[in-house]
Structures are given as C-alpha cells and as structure tokens.
Amino acid sequence: MWTSLAVGLAALVAPSQAGLRFGCSTLSIQRLDPIVQPGINPSTHVHQIIGGNMFNASVDPTIDVGNAASCTTCVFAEDFSNYWTATLYFKHRNGTYKRVKQYPNADLVNGVQGGMTVYYTQQDFNSNGNQKITAFKPGFRMTVGKPTTNTKDQAVKNTGIRYTCLQTIMTRGAETPDFPTKPCPAGIMAIHHFPACWDGKNLDSADHQSHMYDTGKGGFQVAGPCPSSHPVRMPQVALETMWNTTEFNDKSLWPTDGSQPFYWSTDDDTGYSSHADYLFGWKGDSLQKAMDSSCMFDACGNGNPLKTQNAAQMNACKIKTFVDEPVDGWLPQLPGAPSFIKA
Ligand SMILES: *[C@@H]1O[C@H](CO)[C@@H](O)[C@H](O)[C@H]1NC(C)=O
Ligand SMILES: *[C@@H]1O[C@H](CO)[C@@H](O)[C@H](O)[C@H]1NC(C)=O
Ligand SMILES: *[C@@H]1O[C@H](CO)[C@@H](O)[C@H](O)[C@H]1NC(C)=O
C-alpha cells in the first residue's frame, strides 16, 4: 500500500520534494555583523548567531566556509553556514533592559540550547513545484528585512517577516508584522523567510538583497515563479526563533501607558526592524544532494544523505566573544545604545 502510494506520488512530483527542518543551538550573542558591517567591531546592535565557527567580525567571501570551518551548532554536521538576527530585550518599567532567552522549538533533537529552527524548503512545505532547486555556492550571502524599517506599510510588504504570539509551543498561523500587544503565554516566535530567486551571477550585492528576488507569499505557501531577472530557484531558507518571554509576562512590569515592553536590540519596540542574515557554508555538495533527494526533515539525517551530530556535539561548538561588553543581566541601556527613529 505505502510503496505504491509513494511511487505514484514520486511519478507526479519528480524530480524531488526534499525539505529540511532542523535545530541549531546558539553559537554566540555579540555585536558583530560580517555581512552588513564587515570588519567593524563592535557593530551597531547585538545579534544572536547560530551555525559554524568561522563567524567573525569579517568572513572573507573568497573562503569556502564549508571547508574552512571545523564545527557547527546545527544538527546537520555539514552545515557550517551562519544565520543571525537581532536579539530581543525586555524593557522594565524602571528603564533597564534584560535579554530575553530563546528556547528550542517543538520536535527538535533533545538538548538544543537556545538558537533557532532552520528550514530549507522547495516550493512550499511539501513539494518543490516540479523544478530544479539549485544550492547556494561558497561565498554566497544575503539578508532579509532592514534594521531601519520603521513603518507598518513597509513591514506589511515584507511578507516573510512576521511574529506569532505563542499560546503554546505549537501555535501557528496567526502572524502579525508587529510585536504582539499582549503577553504571550509561551513566548513570541519571530519568523524570517529569505527570498529564493537568484540572479544566477552575484554571490552578494551592495545592499545584500538585490541579487535575490522574493516570490514568497508568506508562511510556507506556494511561492510564485521566479522572474527572468532572477531565474534560478534556490532553497527557501526560513528561520524561527522562539523567544521565552514568560519571565516578563507580569503586566505590572509593563509600561503604564499600556504599550508592549519588548525591544529588538536595534532599539525598536514596533517590531518593524526585524531582519536576518545568511552566510552560506554547507560542505561540498551536501546541500545540493539533500535538495536532489526526496527526504523530509529528520529523515534527511544519519547519512540519508546528510550527516547528523548529537546535541552534545552541537553545544560543544563555540567561538570567542570578540566584543568586551555585557549583553545579559539588567542593563542601563541596550548594548551600543542604538537609536531607532520611529516614522
Ligand atoms: C577572527 O578575527 C580575528 C581578528 O581579525 C582573528 O585574529 C581570528 O583568527 C579570527 N578567528 C577566526 C575563527 O577566523
Ligand atoms: C530595575 O528592576 C530590576 C528587576 O526588578 C532590578 O533588578 C533592577 O535593579 C532595577 N533597576 C533600577 C535602576 O531600578
Ligand atoms: C521559560 O522561562 C521560564 C522563566 O524563566 C522558565 O521557567 C521556563 O522553563 C522556560 N521555558 C522553556 C521552554 O525554556
């Protein structure tokens, strides 16, 4: 029964319908940004970073990170890419800030510490739209969203960047372009979908975005076709970060004017400045092999075709803190004192 069903489906949706969903522990939390502010130490705001140990104030784009790195906080041991977003802070009524901790998503390997959930899908969650998916190349990088986005109109247009107010760890679907206005019992999920259409030439661009084109429609819906300017369909990379706000959900700690108390490390309490960065670093052709196969999620591991590592190995991967400043505990100001100009 199962075999004939599987064969029937395979005939309909050739060449493949692989999808990856996996956990990566926190690698580091510090003020560095090798894509947007390369070589600048410290960068303007704090990031939370996952992935391989080549992350640094700058990462030479001519280096093949997948060969140069030696460990990663991701469960797929050949993924030495780095992924990062801003960090969430709570602002107390008394004016001081404390970093909100991340917690591991549902259905990940036990023992993930903080970090994010990473997706590489094809056309949507379950299929690839019957098209070739081309893996990124060494040196590839991109960003989605901008730390300067400060209007709701702009935020609404960034369909890949959303929030879910988690009633439980499993809450999905109700997404907003701005921070939830009420306490969320299981925290706030920050969602980042990167664009997936590539111009076929440039590994990066001056704004780190124009070499890519977004045909996503939000969530894991079927994306539109790639335009002729950006004809190459790449994996749809998405991130989910589970911010555990429960320590701060007592409304007596919230602002007396009824506004919500969470700030991105960019000094933004609207949520519009949400952004994410991707620096490719899969080893050899491992990502292409996964995209060409028909495995789904965890079944892509244990050598089918990707190598898997355990949580202890993930959590043992560390980098130095290159920026000498506290990012945790009650802080009189956000690290670097960035200023977000509301429109
Ligand atoms: C990070 O950059 C510093 C300063 O340029 C350098 O000394 C160090 O070796 C780099 N670390 C890695 C892992 O590349
Ligand atoms: C603000 O509140 C926190 C939490 O109660 C406390 O630890 C901190 O000392 C307070 N800071 C100031 C400046 O009042
Ligand atoms: C969230 O934070 C609370 C309060 O600090 C803690 O008790 C709880 O274990 C955390 N939840 C998860 C899933 O980590």
Side-chain angles (χ1 to χ4, degrees), residues 299-319:
C300 298
N302 297 315
N304 298 306
L306 297 174
K307 295 188 180 124
T308 307
Q309 61 177 350
N310 64 33
Q313 291 166 312
M314 294 160 65
N315 297 335
C317 186
K318 297 276 179 247
I319 60 166

Side-chain angles (χ1 to χ4, degrees), residues 92-96 253 330:
H92 193 281
R93 247 182 212 191
N94 71 17
T96 60
L253 307 175
W330 292 102

Side-chain angles (χ1 to χ4, degrees), residues 116-258:
M116 292 187 261
T117 317
V118 181
Y119 294 81
Y120 284 73
T121 52
Q122 301 196 340
Q123 178 177 262
D124 59 24
F125 215 74
N126 301 304
S127 74
N128 84 340
N130 204 5
Q131 61 196 321
K132 170 76 179 175
I133 304 294
T134 305
F136 309 100
K137 296 184 171 27
F140 181 89
R141 37 194 77 185
M142 65 177 160
T143 67
V144 64
K146 290 200 170 88
T148 49
T149 299
N150 62 0
T151 67
K152 187 155 188 163
D153 278 359
Q154 286 173 291
V156 167
K157 283 185 199 137
N158 283 334
T159 50
I161 302 181
R162 291 290 180 263
Y163 302 91
T164 298
C165 182
L166 298 168
Q167 306 305 308
T168 74
I169 191 174
M170 289 307 295
T171 306
R172 295 293 181 274
E175 298 184 352
T176 57
D178 40 14
F179 282 134
T181 52
K182 298 199 175 89
C184 302
I188 297 171
M189 179 165 71
I191 302 161
H192 296 95
H193 291 261
F194 287 89
C197 298
W198 181 42
D199 70 8
K201 296 186 209 75
N202 298 296
L203 299 175
D204 194 3
S205 48
D207 64 0
H208 314 293
Q209 302 193 344
S210 18
H211 58 313
M212 296 298 287
Y213 191 93
D214 189 15
T215 61
K217 295 183 176 144
F220 290 98
Q221 297 179 72
V222 175
C226 289
S228 57
S229 60
H230 296 74
V232 184
R233 175 67 66 178
M234 316 289 274
Q236 169 68 68
V237 179
L239 305 172
E240 289 171 350
T241 315
M242 314 289 276
W243 296 101
N244 183 358
T245 55
T246 52
E247 185 184 344
F248 312 108
N249 278 353
D250 174 356
K251 277 204 93 169
S252 72
L253 307 175
W254 285 36
T256 46
D257 68 3

Side-chain angles (χ1 to χ4, degrees), residues 77-119:
E78 291 146 299
D79 183 11
F80 300 102
S81 306
N82 288 114
Y83 313 79
W84 61 96
T85 77
T87 302
L88 197 64
Y89 280 88
F90 167 74
K91 187 178 186 183
H92 193 281
R93 247 182 212 191
N94 71 17
T96 60
Y97 300 83
K98 192 173 178 191
R99 186 174 71 80
V100 180
K101 295 196 173 78
Q102 292 127 264
Y103 75 96
N105 212 329
D107 294 322
L108 300 181
V109 61
N110 280 335
V112 171
Q113 290 174 354
M116 292 187 261
T117 317
V118 181
Y119 294 81

